[in-house]
Amino acid sequence: MIEIRNLYKSFGVKSVLSGTALTIAKGESLAIIGQSGCGKSVLLKHIVGLLKPDAGEVIVEGENIWQVSLERLYEIRQKFGVLFQGAALFDSMNVAENISLGLREHTLMSETAIAARVKDCLAMVGLSGSEDMKPSELSGGMKKRVGLARAIAMKPSYVLYDEPTTGLDPITADTINDLIIRLNERLHVTTVVVTHDMVSTYKVADRIVMLHDGKIIYSGTPSEVRETDNPVVRQFIEGRAEGPIKTATTRAT
Amino acid sequence: MKSPVNQTTLPDTIARVGQLALDFFNEAGTAAILMFRILAGGKNLWKDRKLFFEQALRQGVRSLPLVMLVGIFTGAVTAWQGNYQLKGYVPLQYLGVATLKAVVIELGPVLTALIIAGRVSASIAAELGTMRVTEQIDALESMGISPIRFLAVPRFFANLLMMPVLVVLADFIAMVGASFVATALLGMTAAMFWNQIPTFFEVFDIVAGLIKAFVFGAITAVMGCHIGFTTRGGAEGVGMATIRAFVWSCLLILVMDYVLAMILF
C-alpha cells in the first residue's frame, strides 16, 4: 500500500502540490487524471522518490521514503517499475540491454536466465525478436512497449505509467491500454496511471482520482465518474473550455 | 536626459555582484559535494570495470590523435620562440632543457587539459544533460541504480587515469617536435639539443606536471558530470550545458594551475 499524506511541492513561486493526500491500495488499478501541467507527473515522481516534497510524507508499505537511508530508498525503488512519458530508454544500449539492466545490477541471475527473462518480457509486450534493436530504430509505440518490458523485468509490486498513451495513434494507444490491463491481471501488480486520456482512463482503471489545484478533489469508480455532478470533473471529462477550470483562454477573457 | 529605467544604481550593482558571487560559490560547492560522492562511490569501481574501460577508451584513447597534434606543434613553437627569446642572452645549447621544462611543468598539462575540457568535459555534459532532459537519469534512479555510481564514477576515474597518460604522451611528442625544429631549422645538432637535459632536469618537474594532470583530470570530469546532471530545459539546455562545462573547466584549470604553481614551486 502507498500512502501520500499532505504533500506540498513548489518550483520557485509556482505551487504544484498543495496538501495532496491519496491512498493507493495493493492490487488496485488507479488512474490519476487532471489538466496538463496540474502536477500529475510531479505526484508520480514523488511516489517513487524521484522528487523530494517540500512538506508531507510518502509511505510505501509502512516506510516513509524520505526518512530512510539512500541505500534503503534505492531498495524500495526496486519494488517499482516506471514507464516514463517518452519511454526514457537508454540510447547507448540495445533493447535487451535496456530490459536486463536492472537484473544485472540487482540480481545474481546467470546470463542464460537473464536472456530468458528478457525474451519473456518482450513476448508479453508483443515485441519478440527485437532484442538487438537500438532505441533509435523503434517507433513511438514500440518504445513505450520496450519501456514497459523494462518496467516489469524486475517483477515489481507497483507499475507506474506516466501518460502511457500520449503521442500515440488511437489504435496503438488501445494496444497499450490492453497491455496495461493484461499485465495487471497476469502479474497481480498495483497499477497507477497518470493520464488525461479519458478513453484510456475508463478502460484501465478500477478507481479514478482527479488532481486539481494541487489537491485530489475527487475519487470514484469509472461508472461513478461518468455519473458525477462535480462541476470540475464534469468539465474535464466532457472536455469543455468553459467551466470552473480556468484555461489560458478563459483566464484571458 | 537619461531614462530612469536604464539607470543602474550602486545598490543594484552591489546586488548583482553579490548574486554572481553566490552563484559561483553555489556552483563550486555543489560540484565539490558531487566530487566527494564520486570518490566515495569509487569502491564500486572494480564491479563496474567494464564501464570504466569503455570510458577510458572514449576519453583517453580517442583523444590521442588530437593531443598528439597539439603536442607536436606546442613543442615546435616553444623551441622556435625559445630560440628567439634566448638568442644573445643564453647559449643555444640550453634550448633543449628550457623547452623541456616549459613543456613538462606548464604547457603539456595545461594545453592537454584545455583540449580535454573541450573534448571530454563538454561531451560528458552533453551526454548526461541529454539523459537528464529525456528522463533517462530518472529511469535509472527509479530502477534503484545510482546515477553517480553508474554514470559519474566510471567517467571520473577514467579521466583521472587517462589525463596523466595523455600529458606524458603530449610531453614526449612535444619534445620530438621541438627537437625537429632545433635540428632542422635552427642549425643545432641533436646532441646539442639533448645533452644539457640530464644536467638541469629534475624528476620533481615530472612529478609536478603529473600532479597538475591529476587535478585537471578531476576538474574536467567533475564539471562535465555536475553540469550534465543539473541540465534543464530540452535541447537549448543541453547546448548551454555543453558551453558551461567547457567554460567552467577552462576557468578552473587556469585558476588551479596558478594555485598549484604557488604550492609546488
Side-chain angles (χ1 to χ4, degrees):
Chain A
M1 190 170 83
I2 299 169
E3 286 175 82
I4 295 154
R5 294 178 188 158
N6 216 18
L7 216 58
Y8 285 81
K9 183 70 180 177
S10 298
F11 296 99
V13 292
K14 187 176 162 49
S15 170
V16 180
L17 302 178
S18 43
T20 313
L22 177 66
T23 300
I24 303 164
K26 206 164 180 65
E28 80 170 321
S29 187
L30 175 81
I32 302 171
I33 59 169
Q35 240 188 321
S36 294
C38 75
K40 303 184 296 293
S41 298
V42 170
L43 178 59
L44 199 78
K45 287 186 177 180
H46 275 90
I47 293 174
V48 75
L50 293 174
L51 287 174
K52 190 172 185 179
D54 299 332
E57 294 174 330
V58 178
I59 316 283
V60 176
E61 295 178 1
E63 285 184 280
N64 184 334
I65 61 169
W66 290 109
Q67 281 182 356
V68 297
S69 66
L70 192 60
E71 288 73 25
R72 181 66 195 139
L73 176 60
Y74 279 121
E75 285 169 18
I76 293 171
R77 281 179 181 155
Q78 290 172 41
K79 296 177 183 183
F80 289 89
V82 184
L83 173 61
F84 288 87
Q85 200 168 340
L89 300 179
F90 306 119
D91 302 326
S92 56
M93 301 178 191
N94 65 22
V95 166
E97 288 165 342
N98 261 281
I99 297 169
S100 62
L101 182 63
L103 301 169
R104 287 184 207 285
E105 287 290 317
H106 300 303
T107 71
L108 297 171
M109 286 169 72
S110 67
E111 283 303 312
T112 321
I114 288 175
R117 177 76 64 82
V118 168
K119 205 174 167 190
D120 283 351
C121 291
L122 281 174
M124 262 190 255
V125 298
L127 279 177
S128 294
S130 60
E131 283 90 338
D132 295 329
M133 290 175 87
K134 283 278 193 177
S136 56
E137 298 173 277
L138 305 173
S139 68
M142 287 166 87
K143 279 183 187 165
K144 295 242 177 180
R145 284 191 279 164
V146 173
L148 191 45
R150 185 178 69 184
I152 59 171
M154 287 283 289
K155 298 190 173 170
S157 309
Y158 306 91
V159 183
L160 313 182
Y161 300 84
D162 189 2
E163 307 277 9
T165 56
T166 299
L168 301 178
D169 67 83
I171 296 166
T172 311
D174 199 49
T175 313
I176 297 286
N177 291 334
D178 286 338
L179 214 54
I180 294 172
I181 295 165
R182 203 174 344 131
L183 291 174
N184 196 30
E185 287 167 359
R186 274 185 66 180
L187 305 173
H188 307 292
V189 291
T190 304
T191 301
V192 181
V193 184
V194 152
T195 185
H196 50 235
D197 173 357
M198 287 313 295
V199 177
S200 173
T201 304
Y202 288 134
K203 188 159 185 178
V204 303
D206 305 331
R207 183 163 70 102
I208 299 169
V209 297
M210 180 158 178
L211 185 66
H212 180 63
D213 283 343
K215 291 186 176 68
I216 299 292
I217 56 146
Y218 184 87
S219 173
T221 62
S223 54
E224 285 169 345
V225 169
R226 281 193 175 95
E227 304 299 320
T228 185
D229 51 10
N230 181 313
V232 176
V233 180
R234 284 240 67 84
Q235 185 191 350
F236 183 81
I237 62 174
E238 288 168 7
R240 282 185 284 107
E242 295 304 320
I245 303 174
K246 299 289 176 223
T247 63
T249 323
T250 52
R251 252 184 237 116
T253 52
Chain B
M1 202 175 86
K2 276 184 183 175
S3 157
V5 176
N6 293 330
Q7 280 180 351
T8 308
T9 61
L10 187 62
D12 285 346
T13 310
I14 293 169
R16 207 169 296 158
V17 170
Q19 189 59 50
L20 279 173
L22 277 176
D23 289 347
F24 174 82
F25 286 116
N26 183 38
E27 194 88 35
T30 320
I33 291 168
L34 176 66
M35 191 167 84
F36 286 120
R37 292 177 68 186
I38 290 172
L39 289 172
K43 61 181 185 289
N44 296 307
L45 200 58
W46 179 247
K47 186 188 166 200
D48 294 327
R49 59 190 178 281
K50 190 177 163 230
L51 296 170
F52 168 80
F53 286 120
E54 269 173 21
Q55 291 302 323
L57 179 76
R58 280 173 65 178
Q59 296 177 15
V61 180
R62 290 186 189 152
S63 298
L64 263 178
L66 192 58
V67 169
M68 296 285 130
L69 195 69
V70 172
I72 203 153
F73 282 103
T74 301
V77 79
T78 308
W80 185 262
Q81 290 195 175
N83 169 61
Y84 170 73
Q85 289 176 41
L86 299 179
K87 204 158 49 181
Y89 303 103
V90 179
L92 205 56
Q93 70 210 51
Y94 294 110
L95 182 64
V97 73
T99 303
L100 183 65
K101 284 211 175 228
V103 164
V104 169
I105 294 171
E106 183 65 20
L107 297 174
V110 172
L111 291 180
T112 306
L114 291 176
I115 292 164
I116 295 298
R119 198 187 173 279
V120 175
S121 187
S123 108
I124 291 175
E127 189 183 7
L128 300 189
T130 304
M131 290 186 77
R132 169 60 76 195
V133 301
T134 55
E135 293 185 312
Q136 292 176 51
I137 290 179
D138 282 347
L140 266 183
E141 294 228 43
S142 74
M143 293 164 82
I145 300 169
S146 159
I148 290 179
R149 201 218 85 212
F150 192 75
L151 299 171
V153 169
R155 282 165 176 77
F156 176 84
F157 283 100
N159 212 34
L160 207 62
L161 174 79
M162 293 315 289
M163 186 72 92
V165 174
L166 289 173
V167 166
V168 168
L169 288 169
D171 291 349
F172 175 74
I173 293 290
M175 286 312 292
V176 171
S179 169
F180 172 77
V181 167
T183 52
L185 304 174
L186 300 175
M188 293 175 75
T189 62
M192 262 177 85
F193 184 80
W194 293 101
N195 274 356
Q196 295 300 322
I197 288 176
T199 316
F200 292 98
F201 191 71
E202 294 170 45
V203 176
F204 179 73
D205 292 340
I206 294 183
V207 174
L210 289 179
I211 291 171
K212 283 187 176 184
F214 271 115
V215 173
F216 298 159
I219 288 171
T220 46
V222 166
M223 290 318 292
C225 292
H226 161 64
I227 290 169
F229 280 148
T230 52
T231 301
R232 294 283 179 274
E236 191 188 358
V238 174
M240 286 305 296
T242 312
I243 295 167
R244 283 179 63 223
F246 177 64
V247 171
W248 270 96
S249 295
C250 290
L251 190 71
L252 289 174
I253 286 165
L254 296 174
V255 171
M256 282 310 292
D257 185 40
Y258 175 75
V259 172
L260 287 171
M262 293 285 109
I263 296 169
L264 294 170
F265 307 108

